[in-house]
Amino acid sequence: MGRRGKKAVFGGVFVFPGGKVDAADRSVGVASDLAPELLTRISKDQRRARAFSVAAVRETFEETGLLLAGPADIGSTRHETWLDFAARGIAPDLAKLGYVGHAITPSKRKARFNARFFFAWAEHMSGELGGSGELADLDFFPLHEALKLPLVDVTEFMLLEIQRRNKEKLRPRETYPFFSYRTESPYIRYS
């Protein structure tokens, strides 16, 4: 996790690396794919589901300097980050991602997101913790310490979900959380 800049959306709070799906995320080759049950869980459109997870790998690398990748051909691209992967002879290793849940901010909020949250084990990552500078105070935090950091409600919820799931050894589940808002109050359902 890292702290967002004071002038950024969610300024001054700790967040996970992340961002929007770029067009190039829909077409890069991967070293391994997400588990089939996760692809269908994330979206009925498997290409869209895969793009969310590929974007998570790319954004993590851009914002933290950490790679979740294995040897593979990324294919043809002009995207700067994916060119870096290609030069290293690596591609996203999606089989090492687990799924946490889905969240959408209220339509009346200025800063909106429609996000999927993933996790990966630190030992599956390579690279040097640093990144683009978009996030400050980057570090791996034990869950109990992360929950004491300044957080937005959805980040806190996803950390608590990981804590709950940890008791299940983070095995795939039948239902996953969808975090949204109704009349500006958090609304959570499992499906």
Side-chain angles (χ1 to χ4, degrees):
M1 299 182 77
R3 186 189 304 263
R4 298 282 301 209
K6 292 205 184 288
K7 293 181 181 180
V9 175
F10 305 125
V13 300
F14 280 79
V15 297
F16 304 114
K20 69 181 184 84
V21 174
D22 288 348
D25 299 335
R26 292 178 172 87
S27 59
V28 299
V30 297
S32 67
D33 209 348
L34 277 174
E37 67 274 7
L38 291 182
L39 278 170
T40 56
R41 167 65 59 188
I42 294 165
S43 176
K44 291 178 182 172
D45 177 347
Q46 289 195 356
R47 188 169 178 246
R48 185 171 188 245
R50 191 173 294 107
F52 282 120
S53 56
V54 168
V57 170
R58 178 185 50 74
E59 289 281 351
T60 298
F61 174 63
E62 291 172 356
E63 295 180 11
T64 70
L66 299 175
L67 291 158
L68 183 65
D73 181 12
I74 203 119
S76 178
T77 185
R78 286 192 254 178
H79 190 284
E80 185 179 342
T81 300
W82 295 128
L83 287 171
D84 191 349
F85 274 61
R88 298 169 190 241
I90 58 173
D93 198 353
L94 304 181
K96 296 205 168 86
L97 279 176
Y99 183 60
V100 182
H102 179 190
I104 298 178
T105 51
S107 60
K108 293 180 182 177
R109 294 228 179 133
K110 194 157 108 179
R112 299 221 47 224
F113 62 80
N114 180 350
R116 291 354 181 247
F117 290 80
F118 298 91
F119 68 88
W121 299 112
E123 61 262 20
H124 293 149
M125 308 293 269
S126 61
E128 296 286 325
L129 195 60
S132 65
E134 187 174 332
L135 299 176
D137 304 320
L138 280 170
D139 208 343
F140 288 97
F141 297 95
L143 281 171
H144 68 280
E145 287 182 29
L147 287 163
K148 295 176 188 173
L149 298 169
L151 306 167
V152 293
D153 56 357
V154 68
T155 305
E156 179 181 20
F157 174 81
M158 293 299 172
L159 284 168
L160 289 168
E161 181 66 15
I162 291 169
Q163 192 174 54
R164 286 187 286 272
R165 298 267 317 282
N166 192 41
K167 292 176 185 171
E168 304 167 3
K169 306 285 190 231
L170 295 169
R171 289 187 299 272
R173 308 175 92 196
E174 300 238 351
T175 63
Y176 290 86
F178 173 68
F179 183 103
S180 62
Y181 298 83
R182 287 203 174 152
T183 61
E184 296 298 314
S185 296
Y187 168 76
I188 298 138
R189 76 172 194 267
Y190 286 78
S191 58

